[in-house]
Amino acid sequence: MATSGGGNVRNGTHNYRSSLKSDRPLSANSNLKNHVKSKPLSSTGQRRNSTGTIGSASAASKDDDGVPGRVRVAVRMRPRNAEEMVADADYADCVELQPELKRLKLRKHNWDSETYEFDEVLTEFASQKRVYEVVARPVVESVLDGYNGTIMAYGQTGTGKTYTLGRLGEEDTAARGIMVRAMEDILAVVSLETDSVSVSYLQLYMETIQDLLDPANDNISIVEDPKTGDVSLPGAKLVEIRDQQSFVELLRFGEAHRFAANTKLNTESSRSHAILMVHVKRSVKGRDSGLSSENGNHSHMIKSLKPPVVQKGKLVVVDLAGSERIDKSGSEGHTLEEAKSINLSLSALGKCINALAENSAHVPFRDSKLTRLLRDSFGGTARTSLVITIGPSPRHRGETASTIMFGQRAMKVENMVKLREEFDYKSLSRTLDIQLDTLSMEHERQQKAFEDEIDRLSREAKCQISEAEKQYTDALEKERLKYQKDYSEAVKKLEEQMVMVQQKNENSHPTSSGELSAKEVADLKKLLQKETLSRKAAEEEVNSLKIQVTDLKKSEASGKSEILKLHKKLEDEARQKEKLQGDIAILQSQLLQLSIEADETRRQLDRGGSAKDASGPDSLSSQVKQQPPSGNGEKASIAKLFEQVGLQRILSLLEAEDADVRIHAVKVVANLAAEETNQEKIVEAGGLKSLLMLLKSSQDEIIHRVAAGAIANLAMNETNQELIMAQGGINLLSMAAANAEDPQTLRMVAGAIANLCGNDKLQTKLRAEGGIKALLGMIRCKHPDVHAQIARGIANFAKCESRASTQGMKTGRSLLIEDGALPWIVQNANNEASSIRRHIELALCHLAQHEVNAKHMITGGAVWELVRISRDCSREDIRTLAHRTLVSSPTFQAEMKRLKIVL
């Protein structure tokens, strides 16, 4: 290793690790296993359950001494190295450890010492597993239960911080450090199907944050949430972890790019602070078990519509660079500059710990990037464990005493541990989309099956009617042939009998034959009558069968008529559906054409509008109206559609099922709202209510963007502003601002809120319903157009406040200052973009006009900006206002006198 220069990187070894193997042979400590036995319990008494998951940390918010959220501190002493065994052979260790009492004694002289108590005291024989159990495991358990946690090592250079935290344990499994063991526990608990684990690995070198997983990314900025104060690093590379081996490979890669140097105190001295961030996202199950099973489908519907709960925990492991004295480390050149930077950041950390331990009103977190990154770990919402590492050598008694005092002060710091839970609406949306697609396909299948069943029944009915008709026809023909045959046989029989009677009459006596003849004739007449009656009965039966056949034919004809009527109705419905689809297609094409023309015109106006400089905070739409028109095509198309379709029908399309129809309809309404002559008609027809309902019910960001633009146009009118506030418009705009990511959507929402900020009557209500916080929340978007609208809204609000204070209607400091807007105002007072700068300059002047705001503005650094505005502002009216404000305010005059500023 080179002896100077901070550009050298470590090779994965450590000076003092070898001392554990060579300088302290195991034979001299054969009872080590029994003396320091690994504990299966964490320091808070929690156990792993029978399934192998780590126990809940619901009781982990209290430490052993009963102080909720206090920073836990453990002290670990490394063994003497080879150099110290030779140089300090005649001297006793400067520290005496008493682990069973959890305290240590720091010897001042042979006869004098001081005693200090800690949460844990770890001797030089303590195993890596025991260190993890007592220091890190409670924090890891809290992270798995949805809390933030921090594990940090602090101490003099060469005392074993990196060994304790970052040892990979590839050669010796028992030597694994806290980072590796923590990830093993996390991966053993999480389910890779529903949960996720991702890490980022950084180093703070010379007050510059660099990505160890992406070495080219060497200047990452810190972003603070203005609402919660949470610190994030959006530029850092985030890698998802699926198995332990990939995590070890990432640690090895990152460790290879850490800065290290060879000093007199340590051949592998870390020259940067290493920060490992592990993000754990877990789905919470079993929250709906209290629903009664008697509700049936209703309970199932409630469950399916309830978003799943997600716990988000973050584990931060910080390997601080060691503090060192220049005369002892022998640092020079670039290594000396590195040492200065390390000592300055550690000094800033010590000041913050002192302020927190003493309950000071001001904690200087912003003095260093290190303290900004650790803001949540000390005095924040994270559960924090600190391990301080010391050496036994009496030559470094001063550094050891300083480290011990740092740990003592850290034990007085209390955090407010908070659970990080939220609803996973995106997962619910994906689930509902899948269910909707499934139900749509099932509906199509059922509809097709229904139509097929109707066709099958129709065919079966036709077949049955044809079969019945054929059977009746055959039966009728058989009966007719039978009776015809019987009739012919009877007639033939009678004729034969007649012939026989005539022959008998010719051969018999006349008198007797005449008598016989009369008798036989009477018999024949009776027989003939009988046959006649039989024939009539047969004819009546035939007629009856004919009537039945006729009735069957009529029934068949009636059935066919009903089928024809149904087919006709189906054809009429189909034609009506085709006609409606045609009308919808025409309207969609018209709306699409209008939206394309409107978007093109808006882009042209935006490109032209950004170069203009308006004379004060005004509405978003007024800037558009100042531009020369690009043509009458769009207005003519909108007017033509307005006349043909009508406003009511256009507004009714806002509730259409087709998403494209809703998008085009809201674009047309937005373009109509840009004309003052249409605004009153739109409001009277219920257009404002429909636009607000779209903001509430729709999940489409395009609809949110265009609807917010339309509301911004309507908010130009004072009457409409009161209606928007009365119908809960500011709450809906705030929700849209919180959920939106697209800069154009945020610009439209910010423009609408900015217009509302210009109404004197709505100041208090707008602030109470979260309008100012929503405006400041959109600062997260870095787009200059969004910041221009935010600046315009702040300027409008400050102007109304100034007017109310002048008229005696308001007392006390500005609501903008109370909501934390002043730092952003001061930061952007000299912004390069004129559209932002001119509004901020005007806002500063209005805030400074009232003496009650002067003290806070001086504390926030606004005096220098007011002086600059009074000298260099391009607008004479603002320059004059700033000069008059500074001259007339006694508080500002006193501050300028103190700073020796002359106007």
Side-chain angles (χ1 to χ4, degrees):
M1 298 296 292
T3 58
S4 64
N8 301 315
V9 297
R10 63 174 67 246
N11 58 11
T13 62
H14 195 285
N15 181 31
Y16 118 87
R17 284 65 156 175
S18 60
S19 66
L20 289 177
K21 295 182 178 180
S22 60
D23 297 337
R24 297 282 181 173
L26 292 177
S27 60
N29 299 284
S30 59
N31 62 344
L32 178 61
K33 181 176 180 180
N34 295 327
H35 181 67
V36 188
K37 188 175 181 180
S38 299
K39 295 184 179 180
L41 299 177
S42 68
S43 60
T44 57
Q46 296 169 342
R47 297 178 180 269
R48 290 180 179 266
N49 59 27
S50 60
T51 60
T53 58
I54 297 179
S56 171
S58 60
S61 62
K62 294 186 178 181
D63 291 321
D64 293 342
D65 57 0
V67 180
R70 177 176 64 78
V71 175
R72 292 182 55 82
V73 181
V75 60
R76 186 184 194 187
M77 186 172 74
R78 68 159 172 79
R80 288 192 179 192
N81 54 34
E83 180 184 354
E84 291 171 345
M85 285 186 175
V86 175
D88 300 333
D90 298 332
Y91 300 95
D93 291 349
C94 65
V95 177
E96 178 186 350
L97 302 182
Q98 297 177 334
E100 64 281 356
L101 300 178
K102 295 185 179 181
R103 67 186 185 188
L104 61 82
K105 290 184 178 181
L106 177 64
R107 295 192 180 95
K108 291 185 176 181
H109 304 287
N110 291 333
W111 59 89
D112 190 13
S113 64
E114 292 182 350
T115 302
Y116 301 94
E117 292 185 355
F118 290 93
D119 294 300
E120 291 291 340
V121 175
L122 303 166
T123 69
E124 63 269 33
F125 306 115
S127 65
Q128 290 282 73
K129 181 178 181 180
R130 172 163 173 75
V131 174
Y132 174 75
E133 293 285 345
V134 301
V135 174
R137 183 182 290 276
V139 179
V140 175
E141 291 172 349
S142 296
V143 172
L144 287 170
D145 285 331
Y147 299 88
N148 287 348
T150 302
I151 304 168
M152 188 173 72
Y154 178 93
Q156 183 188 10
T157 181
T159 54
K161 297 181 297 299
T162 303
Y163 177 81
T164 300
L165 296 180
R167 184 74 168 179
L168 300 182
E170 295 177 313
E171 298 177 358
D172 183 4
T173 304
R176 303 191 314 281
I178 287 176
M179 292 182 181
V180 177
R181 293 176 183 269
M183 184 55 68
E184 288 176 352
D185 275 353
I186 291 173
L187 292 177
V189 172
V190 300
S191 172
L192 297 180
E193 296 178 357
T194 58
D195 306 336
S196 66
V197 180
S198 54
V199 302
S200 56
Y201 198 15
L202 314 165
Q203 69 174 347
L204 178 59
Y205 175 71
M206 301 285 285
E207 283 301 301
T208 302
I209 301 176
Q210 303 176 5
D211 197 333
L212 290 175
L213 303 182
D214 183 12
N217 189 7
D218 58 358
N219 190 10
I220 300 174
S221 59
I222 300 175
V223 177
E224 294 185 21
D225 191 327
K227 294 181 180 179
T228 63
D230 291 342
V231 176
S232 61
L233 302 168
K237 182 177 181 180
L238 200 62
V239 180
E240 186 172 357
I241 300 300
R242 307 292 295 180
D243 55 75
Q244 183 70 13
Q245 184 59 35
S246 62
F247 175 68
V248 173
E249 292 295 332
L250 284 178
L251 287 184
R252 184 186 297 108
F253 180 82
E255 191 70 13
H257 290 84
R258 279 193 69 183
F259 287 95
N262 187 353
T263 67
K264 292 181 180 180
L265 296 178
N266 189 358
T267 58
E268 290 289 334
S269 176
S270 300
R271 314 309 289 171
S272 66
H273 307 299
I275 304 163
L276 174 70
M277 294 184 178
V278 183
H279 302 268
V280 180
K281 180 179 179 182
R282 301 188 66 194
S283 298
V284 179
K285 300 179 182 179
R287 288 294 179 89
D288 299 329
S289 59
L291 289 173
S292 174
S293 60
E294 296 178 359
N295 293 333
N297 294 333
H298 181 66
S299 299
H300 178 71
M301 183 182 300
I302 294 176
K303 288 182 181 180
S304 63
L305 294 179
K306 185 174 182 180
V309 179
V310 175
Q311 291 179 344
K312 292 184 177 180
K314 181 174 70 174
L315 174 63
V316 180
V317 184
V318 184
D319 180 11
L320 296 174
S323 60
E324 61 183 56
R325 291 186 179 179
I326 306 304
D327 56 344
K328 291 185 178 181
S329 65
S331 300
E332 59 184 12
H334 188 73
T335 308
L336 177 61
E337 296 300 321
E338 292 174 338
K340 291 180 180 179
S341 177
I342 292 170
N343 289 339
L344 282 174
S345 61
L346 293 177
S347 175
L349 176 61
K351 291 179 181 178
C352 292
I353 297 297
N354 290 343
L356 289 169
E358 297 171 0
N359 293 323
S360 175
H362 173 67
V363 182
F365 282 116
R366 304 188 67 84
D367 287 358
S368 170
K369 288 186 177 181
L370 176 63
T371 53
R372 291 178 66 188
L373 288 172
L374 297 179
R375 185 169 189 171
D376 191 47
S377 303
F378 293 99
T381 62
R383 176 167 186 166
T384 301
S385 283
L386 170 67
V387 54
I388 58 174
T389 57
I390 59 176
S393 176
R395 290 182 297 162
H396 304 303
R397 180 183 290 106
E399 291 83 344
T400 300
S402 176
T403 302
I404 291 172
M405 293 309 299
F406 179 88
Q408 289 288 299
R409 289 189 293 269
M411 290 178 67
K412 299 179 181 179
V413 178
E414 294 187 16
N415 296 348
M416 295 300 295
V417 182
K418 293 183 180 180
L419 181 63
R420 307 282 176 160
E421 275 189 352
E422 63 183 31
F423 291 116
D424 192 355
Y425 289 103
K426 293 182 179 179
S427 174
L428 176 63
S429 176
R430 289 193 298 269
T431 303
L432 293 178
D433 287 340
I434 294 172
Q435 292 180 359
L436 179 61
D437 293 338
T438 303
L439 291 175
S440 298
M441 292 187 291
E442 183 64 24
H443 173 69
E444 290 181 0
R445 286 193 291 267
Q446 291 180 356
Q447 186 175 6
K448 182 65 169 61
F450 178 73
E451 293 175 354
D452 293 343
E453 183 67 15
I454 289 178
D455 292 340
R456 185 184 66 79
L457 293 175
S458 178
R459 288 194 300 268
E460 288 181 357
K462 289 180 179 179
C463 292
Q464 291 177 357
I465 291 173
S466 300
E467 185 69 22
E469 183 179 4
K470 183 178 179 181
Q471 289 177 358
Y472 279 115
T473 303
D474 293 343
L476 181 62
E477 184 65 21
K478 288 180 180 179
E479 290 292 330
R480 187 183 65 78
L481 292 175
K482 178 183 176 183
Y483 286 116
Q484 186 176 1
K485 182 179 179 181
D486 291 343
Y487 178 77
S488 299
E489 290 178 352
V491 171
K492 185 177 179 180
K493 185 176 180 182
L494 287 174
E495 290 177 350
E496 290 177 351
Q497 290 179 355
M498 287 286 291
V499 171
M500 290 174 64
V501 168
Q502 289 177 0
Q503 290 178 354
K504 287 181 178 180
N505 288 333
E506 289 177 356
N507 298 323
S508 63
H509 189 270
T511 304
S512 61
S513 63
E515 291 177 357
L516 291 173
S517 176
K519 185 179 179 180
E520 289 178 356
V521 168
D523 292 337
L524 289 174
K525 285 183 178 179
K526 290 179 181 180
L527 182 61
L528 181 61
Q529 288 176 356
K530 183 178 179 181
E531 291 296 333
T532 302
L533 292 174
S534 298
R535 183 179 60 80
K536 289 182 178 179
E539 288 179 352
E540 289 177 358
E541 189 172 354
V542 169
N543 290 333
S544 176
L545 290 174
K546 287 182 178 180
I547 292 172
Q548 290 181 8
V549 170
T550 303
D551 292 340
L552 287 174
K553 288 183 177 180
K554 289 181 179 179
S555 176
E556 180 185 1
S558 176
K560 289 182 178 179
S561 175
E562 289 294 329
I563 292 173
L564 289 175
K565 287 181 181 179
L566 289 175
H567 280 296
K568 187 176 180 181
K569 286 183 179 180
L570 287 174
E571 292 174 357
D572 292 341
E573 290 292 335
R575 285 194 295 271
Q576 187 68 19
K577 182 179 179 181
E578 291 177 358
K579 183 179 179 182
L580 290 175
Q581 288 178 345
D583 293 342
I584 291 173
I586 293 171
L587 288 175
Q588 285 180 341
S589 62
Q590 291 176 349
L591 290 172
L592 178 61
Q593 182 64 27
L594 287 175
S595 63
I596 293 173
E597 294 175 357
D599 290 341
E600 180 63 26
T601 303
R602 189 178 291 106
R603 285 195 293 270
Q604 294 177 0
L605 293 176
D606 288 341
R607 287 196 295 270
S610 60
K612 290 201 171 186
D613 190 10
S615 60
D618 49 11
S619 71
L620 178 65
S621 299
S622 65
Q623 297 178 10
V624 176
K625 291 182 180 180
Q626 291 174 1
Q627 309 302 321
S630 59
N632 297 324
E634 180 184 359
K635 293 182 179 180
S637 299
I638 294 175
K640 183 178 179 181
L641 180 63
F642 187 70
E643 293 175 359
Q644 291 179 350
V645 180
L647 180 59
Q648 286 292 346
R649 190 165 183 183
I650 293 175
L651 293 178
S652 68
L653 292 177
L654 296 177
E655 301 177 0
E657 294 182 0
D658 193 325
D660 291 335
V661 174
R662 290 200 305 274
I663 292 173
H664 298 317
V666 75
K667 287 184 178 180
V668 171
V669 174
N671 282 281
L672 289 173
E675 298 291 335
E676 292 183 5
T677 55
N678 298 331
Q679 291 178 359
E680 184 177 356
K681 298 177 182 178
I682 292 173
V683 173
E684 290 178 353
L688 175 59
K689 185 176 181 180
S690 298
L691 291 171
L692 293 174
M693 185 60 66
L694 278 178
L695 278 183
K696 181 178 181 181
S697 61
S698 177
Q699 301 295 327
D700 194 307
E701 190 158 355
I702 297 177
I703 292 180
H704 284 187
R705 176 171 67 249
V706 184
I711 293 171
N713 289 335
L714 294 176
M716 296 163 52
N717 183 283
E718 184 175 349
T719 303
N720 293 343
Q721 291 172 355
E722 296 176 358
L723 288 174
I724 291 171
M725 292 295 294
Q727 296 180 18
I730 193 64
N731 287 328
L732 296 175
L733 289 170
S734 300
M735 291 174 59
N739 297 327
E741 298 294 340
D742 180 54
Q744 295 304 320
T745 303
L746 292 173
R747 180 172 71 90
M748 292 299 180
V749 175
I753 297 177
N755 287 345
L756 296 174
C757 287
N759 192 318
D760 295 332
K761 303 175 183 177
L762 306 177
Q763 292 275 294
T764 304
K765 186 175 182 181
L766 185 137
R767 189 250 186 170
E769 294 184 3
I772 300 302
K773 290 189 177 296
L775 206 60
L776 296 176
M778 288 183 278
I779 294 174
R780 69 181 187 277
C781 178
K782 303 303 181 182
H783 200 284
D785 291 346
V786 178
H787 283 205
Q789 296 304 322
I790 296 172
R792 184 169 68 85
I794 290 175
N796 283 344
F797 197 92
K799 183 177 180 180
C800 291
E801 271 196 332
S802 176
R803 187 159 50 235
S805 298
T806 303
Q807 296 172 357
M809 299 171 63
K810 181 186 182 304
T811 59
R813 65 173 179 170
S814 170
L815 299 178
L816 290 171
I817 295 178
E818 290 184 359
D819 283 350
L822 184 60
W824 186 80
I825 294 174
V826 174
Q827 183 181 355
N828 289 272
N830 196 19
N831 195 289
E832 295 179 358
S834 61
S835 58
I836 300 175
R837 184 177 63 252
R838 60 191 173 87
H839 291 308
I840 294 299
E841 290 176 345
L842 187 60
L844 268 178
C845 292
H846 283 306
L847 289 174
Q849 281 187 302
H850 302 284
E851 194 69 16
V852 70
N853 298 331
K855 182 178 179 181
H856 299 283
M857 296 185 70
I858 290 172
T859 305
V863 175
W864 291 104
E865 294 300 332
L866 287 170
V867 172
R868 180 192 61 76
I869 294 170
S870 68
R871 295 174 178 174
D872 304 331
C873 183
S874 58
R875 288 180 48 176
E876 184 177 356
D877 55 341
I878 298 178
R879 192 168 59 247
T880 303
L881 180 59
H883 185 275
R884 185 172 66 247
T885 301
L886 290 172
V887 171
S888 61
S889 171
T891 305
F892 284 129
Q893 283 291 312
E895 180 66 12
M896 288 191 295
K897 183 176 180 181
R898 186 182 69 82
L899 298 175
K900 299 180 180 179
I901 299 174
V902 180
L903 293 177

